[in-house]
Every structure is written in C-alpha cells, then in structure tokens.
Amino acid sequence: MVIAISASGETERVVEASRAARRYGALTVAVTGTPGSPLTRVADRTLMVDLPDTEPSPGIRTYQASLLGLLLIALQVGRAPRPDITRDAAREADALREELVVLADHVDATAKAIKQECRRVADLVADAPVMVMLGSGPSYGTALFTAAKMVEGAGVFAVGQDLEEWGHVERLAYPDDMPLFVIAPPGRSRDKATEVAARAHELGRRVVAVISRGDTSAAGHAHAVLPVHGRVREEFSPLLYHLFAGYVACFVAQGLGRLPFQTHRS
C-alpha cells in the first residue's frame, strides 16, 4: 500500500508517484483535503481530511490534518479483520482512537499557553544565521517540519536532524551559540534528548527544550522551555510538539522586519 499526501491534491510529484505506484500494482490511498483533485483521480482510495475553510495558510493546519489522517489509517489497519487479530487488539485500537479525540483539548491548551513564551524564544534566537531542530523516532518528522516552517515563515535557514546524528555531525558546526531546539516528548527518545541538550549546553548552544509541562529532565540544560500540555504517548506526540514552530517563525520574522511566510517570493 502506498499513501500519497497532498492537502491541495495537486502536488505534481505526489500525483506522479501515486500514478506510478498504481501502475506497478500497489494499492494507492490519497490523503487530501480537496475532493475531485488530480490526486483523488489517480488513487484507488481517498481519505478526506478537509478543513472548515480553504483560505491560504502556511501549511500548519493541513499538516495537522494529514498527521491525524495517517494515524487513523494506521489504527484502522491495526484492527482490520485478520486471523492474528484478537478482540483485545480491536478494542485497543478503539481506545487509541479515543485518545486522539482527547488530544484536541491538549492542542488548544498548548497553542494558547506557549504563544507568549514563543515570543521570548524568538527574541533569544532571531539574530542567528542558522537554527537546528532535533528529534528522534516520531519526533524526527517533527524536527523536519518545524525546520521547514522556520525557513518558510522567517526566511532563516534551519535544518531538522536526528538526535544521534547531531552528535556525529552538526555538533561540530559553528557558530557555537547556534540555537538548538530539542523536541523531547515522553517516551523512548527522551533520555537521549536530555543527553543531547546537556552536551549542546556545554558547547554554548542556545538550547530550547520542547517538553511536557512539568518535565524537568531537559529543562535544566535549556535557555528556554516550551511546555506542551497534556499527556500523550510518543507515537501521537507529533500532533502536539510542532505547535511552537508557526509562532516562533512569525515572531522571528517580525523581529527581523520581514513579513511572515512570504511564500510568494521567487
């Protein structure tokens, strides 16, 4: 099965890849917010993740909707009738779906709570020529996405990297005070994230810890903390741990005298 994601349903390379996968016999599933789009026409199945309005956006709400769609597909595949699937497994999938529903309140609480702290973080990092976002496991994707929002939103070069790989490569880069956002939800990657935050702090990096509210593991090694509200399993954490990026990007852009998200620039 190949899952192709495009909010507009018109991303050329995504449409081409879906068409090619179908030609080679793969079941293709489109995750999109646009019914009747080119992607829906080349896919075998479509999951609509439409939003209340379709006004132009910096790709944050559509990213959230696409993440949710992917998680729902995974849960549905996990409970699909198969000889090895028990009733307990199906009930667990239903319980996980309920966890996703509850996360809506945590998203809202986090978005409201971190806004002013994101302004202070922007003041801390706005003069930097480059920034790095770090995460492992599910948070690696979050690191890549938040780095992209910093580039798109503020025009500042940023990269996303895995926690372990940073220790081998980017740790050696200058400037020493380069801002480093460490994305550390509860779970298997948290200890490594804390270790990296401590090492980065020793090297002089401006460390920003994106952590669960009340988590003190990485906070002691950070110049600033962006607290995420609510308990969430690591697998679902991308729905909450990217929320800071749009705020920080906008505030950095304003501090630099730029209009946020100037995607019209050639």
Side-chain angles (χ1 to χ4, degrees), residues 14 18-19 28 32 52 92 111-112 115 124 133 138 148 152 168 206 253:
V14 176
S18 185
R19 182 183 293 114
T28 55
T32 181
E92 183 178 356
K112 291 176 180 177
K115 184 174 181 178
L124 174 69
M133 314 294 186
E152 296 169 1
H168 295 297
R206 285 175 269 181

Side-chain angles (χ1 to χ4, degrees), residues 66-77 100 103 235-239:
S66 297
L67 276 179
L68 183 58
L70 290 171
L71 289 168
L72 290 172
I73 289 173
L75 292 178
Q76 190 62 31
V77 169
L100 288 175
L103 287 184
E235 294 84 353
F236 293 169
S237 64
L239 290 166

Side-chain angles (χ1 to χ4, degrees), residues 109-121:
T110 298
K112 291 176 180 177
I114 64 172
K115 184 174 181 178
Q116 289 307 313
E117 188 59 32
C118 285
R119 189 182 296 276
R120 288 187 283 272
V121 167

Side-chain angles (χ1 to χ4, degrees), residues 105-116 227 229 240 243 247:
D105 291 335
H106 300 331
V107 169
D108 186 56
T110 298
K112 291 176 180 177
I114 64 172
K115 184 174 181 178
Q116 289 307 313
H229 287 234
L240 289 170
L243 298 172
Y247 284 138

Side-chain angles (χ1 to χ4, degrees), residues 3 55-56 113 243 250 253:
I3 301 175
E55 65 183 23
L243 298 172
C250 283

Side-chain angles (χ1 to χ4, degrees), residues 5-212:
I5 308 162
S6 170
S8 68
E10 297 179 354
T11 307
E12 186 176 350
R13 293 293 178 262
V14 176
V15 174
E16 288 179 357
S18 185
R19 182 183 293 114
R22 189 178 185 184
R23 186 167 62 247
Y24 282 99
L27 173 67
T28 55
V29 179
V31 178
T32 181
T34 310
S37 61
L39 183 58
T40 65
R41 293 195 292 271
V42 301
D44 296 302
R45 302 285 188 275
T46 296
L47 176 63
M48 293 299 304
V49 289
D50 52 329
L51 295 163
D53 59 73
T54 56
E55 65 183 23
S57 73
I60 295 173
R61 294 186 311 135
T62 53
Y63 175 74
Q64 187 82 332
S66 297
L67 276 179
L68 183 58
L70 290 171
L71 289 168
L72 290 172
I73 289 173
L75 292 178
Q76 190 62 31
V77 169
R79 76 183 312 283
R82 296 199 309 269
D84 59 328
I85 294 296
T86 66
R87 289 184 179 180
D88 288 341
R91 281 195 292 267
E92 183 178 356
D94 291 338
L96 289 171
R97 188 179 294 105
E98 289 303 314
E99 285 187 28
L100 288 175
V101 173
V102 172
L103 287 184
D105 291 335
H106 300 331
V107 169
D108 186 56
T110 298
K112 291 176 180 177
I114 64 172
K115 184 174 181 178
Q116 289 307 313
E117 188 59 32
C118 285
R119 189 182 296 276
R120 288 187 283 272
V121 167
D123 291 340
L124 174 69
V125 305
D127 64 329
V130 63
M131 304 180 194
V132 177
M133 314 294 186
L134 296 181
S136 286
S139 295
Y140 177 52
T142 306
L144 295 174
F145 175 77
T146 54
K149 293 304 107 176
M150 192 61 61
V151 177
E152 296 169 1
V156 175
F157 186 72
V159 295
Q161 182 56 286
D162 177 75
L163 291 164
E164 181 68 29
E165 287 303 309
W166 176 86
H168 295 297
V169 183
E170 287 82 1
R171 172 180 61 84
L172 305 173
Y174 290 99
D176 288 336
D177 66 346
M178 182 190 310
L180 191 77
F181 290 74
V182 179
I183 302 166
R188 282 180 271 185
S189 66
R190 191 185 69 167
D191 289 346
K192 183 63 179 180
T194 301
E195 175 189 323
V196 167
R199 180 59 176 143
H201 191 273
E202 291 173 359
L203 293 171
R205 299 294 197 272
R206 285 175 269 181
V207 178
V208 179
V210 186
I211 55 179
S212 178

